[in-house]
Amino acid sequence: MISGMDHSPDRLPTTEAAVTALRALAAEYAREIEVTHDIGADRTTRRSAAGIGVTTDPDGSLPHEAYIEFGGLPRVSVRLYPEDDALITVEDIECPDIPRDDVPAFLRSVFAGLAHVRARRFPPGYRLVVPLPGDRAHVEYIPGVLLTPWLSRHVR
């Protein structure tokens, strides 16, 4: 093993590695998956300062971004960014800044029914809670008007 390099199976070093992991997850949960790739600094969403006609990063590499939509309920989409993070949307609730390595675990919690909505009476409010490995959880605020039927079924 090369020192300083992490070769753990949960490590997703590239966008393509993450897409491959998400395809396997879709097959595991019998969900349809649609993937759209954007490659090049002129095509990715966070590269507005790249300049006209510039397709590579300053180091010469091509940034790779992917947008993934899963079929079925809950409605889930994932935007994988070249900067090793992702935006996951569950039933119109955006969960930004999810580390790329946590995306499969996040989706596994959602698809397996571990994700739930925490309700609070006073002050009234809802939060989407998605358990992650290592006794961690991602918590996202849900405006009351965005409580879909799927989210309502998972209120605790």
Side-chain angles (χ1 to χ4, degrees):
M1 180 171 169
I2 301 171
S3 68
M5 293 189 70
D6 183 10
H7 294 286
S8 66
D10 296 324
R11 179 88 177 99
L12 300 171
T14 65
T15 299
E16 192 58 39
V19 168
T20 301
L22 297 184
R23 286 184 192 278
L25 192 64
E28 180 181 337
Y29 287 96
R31 302 194 75 156
E32 293 182 15
I33 185 172
E34 185 176 322
V35 181
T36 305
H37 295 274
D38 290 319
I39 300 174
D42 60 336
R43 302 275 317 239
T44 58
T45 59
R46 291 186 177 171
R47 298 286 201 254
S48 59
I52 297 172
V54 176
T55 59
T56 62
D57 280 342
D59 66 356
S61 65
L62 287 171
H64 179 191
E65 182 175 294
Y67 179 75
I68 300 107
E69 286 186 288
F70 291 89
L73 287 176
R75 293 171 297 147
V76 175
S77 66
V78 178
R79 180 167 297 281
L80 295 166
Y81 295 109
E83 292 86 10
D84 297 336
D85 68 327
L87 167 68
I88 300 176
T89 306
V90 178
E91 289 290 313
D92 297 326
I93 305 303
E94 290 188 350
C95 303
D97 303 322
I98 305 294
R100 184 186 313 165
D101 295 340
D102 285 343
V103 171
F106 185 104
L107 294 177
R108 186 169 275 111
S109 288
V110 171
F111 296 153
L114 300 174
H116 62 278
V117 175
R118 187 180 325 146
R120 191 170 61 188
R121 290 188 190 266
F122 189 79
Y126 298 97
R127 303 243 186 289
L128 175 64
V129 179
V130 181
L132 296 171
D135 291 331
R136 298 176 299 137
H138 181 83
V139 180
E140 202 65 46
Y141 172 74
I142 303 172
V145 296
L146 291 181
L147 211 56
T148 65
W150 185 88
L151 292 169
S152 295
R153 281 193 306 272
H154 291 84
V155 172
R156 291 186 185 171

